[in-house]
Amino acid sequence: MRVVFLGSQEIGEACLRVILRGGDEVVGVGTFEPAAHEAWTDGVAGLAREHGLHRIRGRRFRTAAAIRELQDLKPDILFAIGWRWILPPEVLAIPAKGCLGIHGSLLPRLRGFAPVNWALIRGEAETGPTLFYFDEGTDTGDVVGARPFPITDTDDAATVRARLAEESVALLAEHLDGLRDGTAPRTGQDHSRATIAPRRRPEDGRVDWSASPQTVVNWVRGLTRPYPGAFTTLAGETLRIWKVAEAFESLEPGAFRVAADGAAYAGVSGGAVRIVDATLGDEDTRAEKERAFGALSRGGRFES
């Protein structure tokens, strides 16, 4: 079948490889570069160059020229995986077999933005990718399939993101034949069970030290590398906190100290957390980590 593929990041690259291995004719590829605060490589663009695939110029497909380019490609099906923009009705109507995407949560839970981050922040017990048909809503279309997996106490944004990419590849490979011949499942979502994941920006990562220990642990592990990180302010600089753990200590929320054994603690509501990994300033380097723990060793309070 003739495929248009829109995608980015590791998940997009891996899923495009599945489609190429399946022997389908990829007639057009759309992608985009990471923003300044993002840490991923544009593997989709590299695959397009390697295979000599036609590059699509459109992003939001709001212009007649962008719509016409898609129409002229005559795709049977369109996949958007790692794509940031909602496809307009004019695009949804083009492929006879529909437009599909993979969302990084178990729909209808966590519809919307940043499902990796929100699953951890909210303490979800499990997550997984969902392969679904696009409609005019946000992640509201019929579901082809999903691959759930548990979120463990040792997981963070990096491990969940990697597992999602791995399971997404398996999910697409499982259903690609059925999508070709029209036998793939198609089940409507139970909209009464839906939860929403709002858009996140790097500046939304400030730690609330008045929250409970588990809430702070989830906040930090949900925003850690490869994302910009949770943060607070120390001595007028941004302290990025990459990992914390619950601790049997008692400090006032927002206070911090370093114990005799060198462990750094920060007070939260009803206890404290141990700061395991942090950097001070804009660079995520060993020098900035040493500077962070040097500043913490002086004790005091984080600035609001």
mmCIF file of all heavy atoms in Angstrom, residues 81-107:
data_model
loop_
_atom_site.group_PDB
_atom_site.id
_atom_site.type_symbol
_atom_site.label_atom_id
_atom_site.label_comp_id
_atom_site.label_asym_id
_atom_site.label_seq_id
_atom_site.Cartn_x
_atom_site.Cartn_y
_atom_site.Cartn_z
ATOM 1 N N ILE A 81 3.438 9.495 13.741
ATOM 2 C CA ILE A 81 3.997 8.905 14.967
ATOM 3 C C ILE A 81 5.142 9.792 15.440
ATOM 4 O O ILE A 81 6.156 9.926 14.762
ATOM 5 C CB ILE A 81 4.470 7.465 14.706
ATOM 6 C CG1 ILE A 81 3.289 6.606 14.227
ATOM 7 C CG2 ILE A 81 5.101 6.873 15.961
ATOM 8 C CD1 ILE A 81 3.677 5.212 13.790
ATOM 9 N N GLY A 82 4.970 10.408 16.610
ATOM 10 C CA GLY A 82 5.912 11.430 17.039
ATOM 11 C C GLY A 82 5.623 12.749 16.342
ATOM 12 O O GLY A 82 6.537 13.530 16.083
ATOM 13 N N TRP A 83 4.345 12.997 16.070
ATOM 14 C CA TRP A 83 3.927 14.202 15.345
ATOM 15 C C TRP A 83 3.201 15.134 16.296
ATOM 16 O O TRP A 83 2.441 14.681 17.150
ATOM 17 C CB TRP A 83 3.006 13.818 14.180
ATOM 18 C CG TRP A 83 2.829 14.886 13.152
ATOM 19 C CD1 TRP A 83 1.689 15.590 12.881
ATOM 20 C CD2 TRP A 83 3.817 15.373 12.234
ATOM 21 N NE1 TRP A 83 1.903 16.478 11.862
ATOM 22 C CE2 TRP A 83 3.204 16.365 11.448
ATOM 23 C CE3 TRP A 83 5.159 15.071 12.007
ATOM 24 C CZ2 TRP A 83 3.893 17.057 10.453
ATOM 25 C CZ3 TRP A 83 5.839 15.747 11.025
ATOM 26 C CH2 TRP A 83 5.212 16.726 10.249
ATOM 27 N N ARG A 84 3.413 16.431 16.180
ATOM 28 C CA ARG A 84 2.939 17.370 17.193
ATOM 29 C C ARG A 84 1.631 18.072 16.852
ATOM 30 O O ARG A 84 1.076 18.734 17.702
ATOM 31 C CB ARG A 84 4.002 18.444 17.417
ATOM 32 C CG ARG A 84 5.199 17.880 18.117
ATOM 33 C CD ARG A 84 6.159 18.950 18.529
ATOM 34 N NE ARG A 84 7.192 18.353 19.357
ATOM 35 C CZ ARG A 84 8.401 18.828 19.487
ATOM 36 N NH1 ARG A 84 8.751 19.909 18.845
ATOM 37 N NH2 ARG A 84 9.277 18.216 20.266
ATOM 38 N N TRP A 85 1.185 17.925 15.632
ATOM 39 C CA TRP A 85 0.068 18.754 15.206
ATOM 40 C C TRP A 85 -1.148 17.903 14.868
ATOM 41 O O TRP A 85 -1.027 16.826 14.274
ATOM 42 C CB TRP A 85 0.489 19.598 14.000
ATOM 43 C CG TRP A 85 1.628 20.496 14.344
ATOM 44 C CD1 TRP A 85 1.564 21.670 15.044
ATOM 45 C CD2 TRP A 85 3.015 20.299 14.035
ATOM 46 N NE1 TRP A 85 2.834 22.209 15.185
ATOM 47 C CE2 TRP A 85 3.739 21.384 14.569
ATOM 48 C CE3 TRP A 85 3.716 19.305 13.345
ATOM 49 C CZ2 TRP A 85 5.112 21.518 14.446
ATOM 50 C CZ3 TRP A 85 5.095 19.412 13.232
ATOM 51 C CH2 TRP A 85 5.777 20.519 13.774
ATOM 52 N N ILE A 86 -2.307 18.391 15.248
ATOM 53 C CA ILE A 86 -3.556 17.719 14.904
ATOM 54 C C ILE A 86 -3.806 17.878 13.408
ATOM 55 O O ILE A 86 -3.692 18.981 12.855
ATOM 56 C CB ILE A 86 -4.726 18.314 15.711
ATOM 57 C CG1 ILE A 86 -4.527 18.005 17.204
ATOM 58 C CG2 ILE A 86 -6.063 17.759 15.224
ATOM 59 C CD1 ILE A 86 -5.570 18.644 18.096
ATOM 60 N N LEU A 87 -4.125 16.785 12.743
ATOM 61 C CA LEU A 87 -4.372 16.833 11.307
ATOM 62 C C LEU A 87 -5.782 17.343 11.039
ATOM 63 O O LEU A 87 -6.746 16.868 11.651
ATOM 64 C CB LEU A 87 -4.197 15.437 10.700
ATOM 65 C CG LEU A 87 -2.817 14.802 10.886
ATOM 66 C CD1 LEU A 87 -2.806 13.401 10.302
ATOM 67 C CD2 LEU A 87 -1.734 15.657 10.254
ATOM 68 N N PRO A 88 -5.931 18.292 10.127
ATOM 69 C CA PRO A 88 -7.258 18.858 9.844
ATOM 70 C C PRO A 88 -8.136 17.860 9.082
ATOM 71 O O PRO A 88 -7.632 16.876 8.504
ATOM 72 C CB PRO A 88 -6.941 20.079 8.991
ATOM 73 C CG PRO A 88 -5.639 19.763 8.349
ATOM 74 C CD PRO A 88 -4.874 18.941 9.336
ATOM 75 N N PRO A 89 -9.446 18.084 9.056
ATOM 76 C CA PRO A 89 -10.363 17.172 8.371
ATOM 77 C C PRO A 89 -9.999 16.936 6.909
ATOM 78 O O PRO A 89 -10.199 15.827 6.394
ATOM 79 C CB PRO A 89 -11.722 17.871 8.492
ATOM 80 C CG PRO A 89 -11.597 18.739 9.702
ATOM 81 C CD PRO A 89 -10.172 19.177 9.746
ATOM 82 N N GLU A 90 -9.454 17.948 6.233
ATOM 83 C CA GLU A 90 -9.089 17.798 4.833
ATOM 84 C C GLU A 90 -8.016 16.726 4.641
ATOM 85 O O GLU A 90 -7.994 16.028 3.624
ATOM 86 C CB GLU A 90 -8.591 19.127 4.265
ATOM 87 C CG GLU A 90 -9.649 20.215 4.186
ATOM 88 C CD GLU A 90 -9.819 20.966 5.501
ATOM 89 O OE1 GLU A 90 -9.172 20.585 6.513
ATOM 90 O OE2 GLU A 90 -10.590 21.932 5.517
ATOM 91 N N VAL A 91 -7.111 16.591 5.616
ATOM 92 C CA VAL A 91 -6.085 15.550 5.550
ATOM 93 C C VAL A 91 -6.683 14.193 5.907
ATOM 94 O O VAL A 91 -6.399 13.182 5.256
ATOM 95 C CB VAL A 91 -4.906 15.891 6.481
ATOM 96 C CG1 VAL A 91 -3.953 14.699 6.620
ATOM 97 C CG2 VAL A 91 -4.151 17.101 5.956
ATOM 98 N N LEU A 92 -7.525 14.156 6.945
ATOM 99 C CA LEU A 92 -8.122 12.893 7.376
ATOM 100 C C LEU A 92 -8.919 12.229 6.260
ATOM 101 O O LEU A 92 -9.025 10.994 6.214
ATOM 102 C CB LEU A 92 -9.038 13.125 8.587
ATOM 103 C CG LEU A 92 -8.395 13.726 9.845
ATOM 104 C CD1 LEU A 92 -9.434 13.869 10.944
ATOM 105 C CD2 LEU A 92 -7.216 12.885 10.320
ATOM 106 N N ALA A 93 -9.443 13.034 5.347
ATOM 107 C CA ALA A 93 -10.291 12.503 4.282
ATOM 108 C C ALA A 93 -9.494 11.941 3.103
ATOM 109 O O ALA A 93 -10.086 11.293 2.233
ATOM 110 C CB ALA A 93 -11.226 13.607 3.779
ATOM 111 N N ILE A 94 -8.185 12.153 3.071
ATOM 112 C CA ILE A 94 -7.418 11.766 1.877
ATOM 113 C C ILE A 94 -7.177 10.258 1.775
ATOM 114 O O ILE A 94 -7.518 9.650 0.765
ATOM 115 C CB ILE A 94 -6.093 12.561 1.814
ATOM 116 C CG1 ILE A 94 -6.386 14.048 1.568
ATOM 117 C CG2 ILE A 94 -5.191 12.012 0.707
ATOM 118 C CD1 ILE A 94 -5.154 14.946 1.690
ATOM 119 N N PRO A 95 -6.594 9.584 2.788
ATOM 120 C CA PRO A 95 -6.279 8.161 2.601
ATOM 121 C C PRO A 95 -7.524 7.283 2.794
ATOM 122 O O PRO A 95 -8.237 7.420 3.794
ATOM 123 C CB PRO A 95 -5.244 7.873 3.699
ATOM 124 C CG PRO A 95 -4.911 9.195 4.318
ATOM 125 C CD PRO A 95 -6.075 10.085 4.080
ATOM 126 N N ALA A 96 -7.741 6.361 1.890
ATOM 127 C CA ALA A 96 -8.925 5.500 1.974
ATOM 128 C C ALA A 96 -8.903 4.611 3.207
ATOM 129 O O ALA A 96 -9.959 4.292 3.772
ATOM 130 C CB ALA A 96 -9.013 4.644 0.713
ATOM 131 N N LYS A 97 -7.713 4.205 3.647
ATOM 132 C CA LYS A 97 -7.590 3.333 4.814
ATOM 133 C C LYS A 97 -7.435 4.114 6.114
ATOM 134 O O LYS A 97 -7.271 3.520 7.188
ATOM 135 C CB LYS A 97 -6.414 2.374 4.636
ATOM 136 C CG LYS A 97 -6.585 1.380 3.485
ATOM 137 C CD LYS A 97 -5.384 0.456 3.370
ATOM 138 C CE LYS A 97 -5.519 -0.496 2.193
ATOM 139 N NZ LYS A 97 -6.612 -1.468 2.398
ATOM 140 N N GLY A 98 -7.475 5.438 6.028
ATOM 141 C CA GLY A 98 -7.461 6.249 7.229
ATOM 142 C C GLY A 98 -6.113 6.803 7.619
ATOM 143 O O GLY A 98 -5.079 6.507 7.006
ATOM 144 N N CYS A 99 -6.142 7.631 8.649
ATOM 145 C CA CYS A 99 -4.948 8.223 9.243
ATOM 146 C C CYS A 99 -4.820 7.676 10.665
ATOM 147 O O CYS A 99 -5.782 7.723 11.441
ATOM 148 C CB CYS A 99 -5.061 9.738 9.294
ATOM 149 S SG CYS A 99 -5.199 10.551 7.682
ATOM 150 N N LEU A 100 -3.651 7.164 10.991
ATOM 151 C CA LEU A 100 -3.444 6.546 12.296
ATOM 152 C C LEU A 100 -2.205 7.101 12.974
ATOM 153 O O LEU A 100 -1.280 7.574 12.322
ATOM 154 C CB LEU A 100 -3.285 5.022 12.165
ATOM 155 C CG LEU A 100 -4.485 4.245 11.646
ATOM 156 C CD1 LEU A 100 -4.356 4.022 10.147
ATOM 157 C CD2 LEU A 100 -4.628 2.919 12.370
ATOM 158 N N GLY A 101 -2.212 6.993 14.305
ATOM 159 C CA GLY A 101 -1.057 7.405 15.081
ATOM 160 C C GLY A 101 -0.844 6.473 16.248
ATOM 161 O O GLY A 101 -1.673 5.602 16.543
ATOM 162 N N ILE A 102 0.285 6.633 16.911
ATOM 163 C CA ILE A 102 0.557 5.916 18.157
ATOM 164 C C ILE A 102 0.700 6.957 19.249
ATOM 165 O O ILE A 102 1.548 7.853 19.165
ATOM 166 C CB ILE A 102 1.825 5.058 18.046
ATOM 167 C CG1 ILE A 102 1.593 3.912 17.061
ATOM 168 C CG2 ILE A 102 2.198 4.500 19.420
ATOM 169 C CD1 ILE A 102 2.787 2.994 16.892
ATOM 170 N N HIS A 103 -0.142 6.843 20.269
ATOM 171 C CA HIS A 103 -0.084 7.754 21.413
ATOM 172 C C HIS A 103 0.617 7.034 22.561
ATOM 173 O O HIS A 103 0.403 5.844 22.780
ATOM 174 C CB HIS A 103 -1.497 8.166 21.829
ATOM 175 C CG HIS A 103 -1.515 9.227 22.878
ATOM 176 N ND1 HIS A 103 -1.076 10.513 22.631
ATOM 177 C CD2 HIS A 103 -1.906 9.205 24.179
ATOM 178 C CE1 HIS A 103 -1.216 11.233 23.728
ATOM 179 N NE2 HIS A 103 -1.711 10.461 24.683
ATOM 180 N N GLY A 104 1.420 7.765 23.310
ATOM 181 C CA GLY A 104 2.234 7.176 24.364
ATOM 182 C C GLY A 104 1.523 6.985 25.673
ATOM 183 O O GLY A 104 2.112 7.201 26.743
ATOM 184 N N SER A 105 0.269 6.561 25.639
ATOM 185 C CA SER A 105 -0.470 6.192 26.844
ATOM 186 C C SER A 105 -1.555 5.205 26.455
ATOM 187 O O SER A 105 -1.813 4.964 25.271
ATOM 188 C CB SER A 105 -1.095 7.421 27.516
ATOM 189 O OG SER A 105 -2.225 7.872 26.784
ATOM 190 N N LEU A 106 -2.196 4.648 27.464
ATOM 191 C CA LEU A 106 -3.270 3.685 27.241
ATOM 192 C C LEU A 106 -4.588 4.451 27.120
ATOM 193 O O LEU A 106 -5.286 4.685 28.103
ATOM 194 C CB LEU A 106 -3.322 2.690 28.402
ATOM 195 C CG LEU A 106 -2.050 1.864 28.601
ATOM 196 C CD1 LEU A 106 -2.132 1.044 29.885
ATOM 197 C CD2 LEU A 106 -1.792 0.954 27.399
ATOM 198 N N LEU A 107 -4.891 4.857 25.888
ATOM 199 C CA LEU A 107 -6.107 5.628 25.670
ATOM 200 C C LEU A 107 -7.328 4.834 26.148
ATOM 201 O O LEU A 107 -7.370 3.619 26.032
ATOM 202 C CB LEU A 107 -6.241 5.970 24.181
ATOM 203 C CG LEU A 107 -5.187 6.927 23.633
ATOM 204 C CD1 LEU A 107 -5.350 7.083 22.125
ATOM 205 C CD2 LEU A 107 -5.260 8.295 24.313
#
